[in-house]
Every structure is written in C-alpha cells, then in structure tokens.
Amino acid sequence: NAGVMQNPRHLVRRRGQEARLRCSPMKGHSHVYWYRQLPEEGLKFMVYLQKENIIDESGMPKERFSAEFPKEGPSILRIQQVVRGDSAAYFCASSPPGGAGETQYFGPGTRLLVL
Amino acid sequence: RKEVEQDPGPFNVPEGATVAFNCTYSNSASQSFFWYRQDCRKEPKLLMSVYSSGNEDGRFTAQLNRASQYISLLIRDSKLSDSATYLCVVLGGSQGNLIFGKGTKLSVKP
C-alpha cells in the first residue's frame, strides 16, 4: 500500500517561472492538505481540499498560489512567478474520509529552490 | 502569542538519559493534540496522540493539561535513534488543518 507520493522531490526554478507540485494521496484517502516549511521554521498550513473542492484556503498567500484536486489525478499546488522567498519544503498530507483530519499521513515533500 | 510554542533546544543528552519536552498552545477550544517526529530533511511522522488521561507507548509518555494549555513528552532511556526534531501539533478547528510548533531538537550522544 503506497503512501502519499509527491513529485518532483526537488525543483529548481528561476525567479518569475512557474512551479507545479504534485501530490497523490494514499489509496482510499479523499482529503488532501498542503503545508509549507520555510528554512528553520515549523510547518504552516496552506490549503485543505477534497475532490474538486477547496474546503479551507485560509493559509494560502493571496497572490500567485493556487491549488486543485481534480476528480481524476493528483492534487496540484501551483506557484506562479516564483520569488526567492518561495524557497521552502512543501509537504502534502492525506487523510481518510469521514474524520476531522486528525490522522494525516505526510508525503516526502518537494523542496523548491528559487534562484 | 504564537498558537503553539516550544523550546527550540537543542537538547544534548547522553544515551540512556530521560528527557522531557514541553509545549503550550493558545486556543483553549483545541480538542486534539499530537507529537510528531521530523528527521533532518524528511517529512513529519506521527509519534503519538495526546489524551487528557495521559498515554504511554514504550519509552514515550505524553501528558495533556487542559487547564494550563500545556502538553509534554517524556522520553526514557534515550537511544541514538531518538535524535530528531520533535513537533508539538494541535488540530486547528473543524477543517482539519494541523498547527505545528517550530519543534524541539534532540541530539542523543553515545
């Protein structure tokens, strides 16, 4: 039973480019969460999605960031016109349906470096 | 006041030592609490949930004091493999987002 999968594991972008981060939840999980961890900081919640719905995006920056979880395929976190401050580890987590998100399983993360 | 606060450490202890970490949280309505472990450049992994009655899992004991909004983790007989950053985590609201402390770094030396 594969765990949460994220790709790419490492991503290098130049300022102004777009970054697309993908997350495939565990089999049977319908809830996906994205978190960002800046260097030397704790993880910060960004967005919570269910299939085709954004449930809570209170942690998303107001500009340049968007997320989706389509009916088919992985969840995508998209960062447009990246800046150096976007350099961080982005972790995705998933949880099974029916709960309140207490049990979240984390993927290995995508480390984004903006040059 | 930060939502979840922890002493960043580092805690440098010899093998076999007992070490305790503390954490405070600001939202008195919080209902669910956890300790996660994060190894360097890895994802966080759930160590244990924290219950009001206190709970133990092998060498690890977690305690919750709702009145003081305080959570603790005790590690007995420390092993080299316990070296990691320990994250205090609170479930934030009904939507399931986890609120993480910045973590306490533990280094167990031979």
Side-chain angles (χ1 to χ4, degrees):
Chain A
N1 185 16
V4 178
M5 297 171 65
Q6 290 187 250
N7 67 81
R9 295 289 302 276
H10 300 272
L11 183 61
V12 180
R13 285 286 178 267
R14 297 193 181 278
R15 280 178 296 169
Q17 291 184 319
E18 179 179 287
R20 279 185 181 241
L21 287 60
R22 288 176 290 277
C23 169
S24 297
M26 285 180 72
K27 188 176 181 181
H29 285 194
S30 56
H31 301 197
V32 166
Y33 310 81
W34 285 93
Y35 295 84
R36 176 167 67 174
Q37 187 172 31
L38 295 168
E40 307 301 321
E41 295 290 321
L43 277 80
K44 299 291 187 194
F45 167 76
M46 300 181 76
V47 63
Y48 162 36
L49 310 105
Q50 294 179 17
K51 285 283 186 183
E52 299 185 283
N53 281 306
I54 297 174
I55 307 302
D56 179 1
E57 56 181 347
S58 59
M60 287 281 268
K62 296 199 185 316
E63 295 176 346
R64 301 188 297 109
F65 285 71
S66 62
E68 62 176 5
F69 189 15
K71 188 176 180 180
E72 301 291 337
S75 175
I76 306 285
L77 179 67
R78 183 182 177 206
I79 312 172
Q80 294 178 289
Q81 299 175 332
V82 295
V83 301
R84 289 215 174 109
D86 296 334
S87 296
Y90 292 82
F91 291 99
C92 167
S94 73
S95 67
E102 301 96 335
T103 305
Q104 295 185 20
Y105 299 86
F106 283 81
T110 293
R111 278 164 181 79
L112 173 65
L113 176 62
V114 180
L115 302 177
Chain B
R1 183 182 173 186
K2 291 182 181 175
E3 291 184 275
V4 179
E5 289 202 72
Q6 297 181 249
D7 180 346
F11 284 59
N12 297 308
V13 303
E15 270 186 292
T18 295
V19 60
F21 304 137
N22 304 317
C23 165
T24 57
Y25 61 95
S26 60
N27 186 353
S28 59
S30 299
Q31 294 295 319
S32 299
F33 310 90
F34 313 90
W35 284 100
Y36 276 72
R37 168 193 170 129
Q38 187 175 28
D39 291 281
C40 187
R41 301 187 66 77
K42 300 282 189 181
E43 73 272 24
K45 292 186 177 176
L46 179 64
L47 183 65
M48 58 198 305
S49 300
V50 187
Y51 304 116
S52 296
S53 54
N55 47 302
E56 189 173 310
D57 183 2
R59 298 182 292 109
F60 299 83
T61 300
Q63 297 276 356
L64 167 65
N65 183 322
R66 286 187 185 273
S68 303
Q69 295 176 211
Y70 170 96
I71 306 162
S72 66
L73 177 69
L74 183 77
I75 305 175
R76 290 181 298 276
D77 188 23
S78 300
K79 311 290 184 192
L80 296 176
S81 57
D82 293 335
S83 297
T85 297
Y86 289 83
L87 308 174
C88 179
V89 183
V90 176
L91 184 65
S94 60
Q95 300 294 358
N97 55 299
L98 298 177
I99 302 171
F100 285 80
K102 289 178 71 170
T104 299
K105 188 170 183 180
L106 171 66
S107 181
V108 181
K109 306 290 187 185

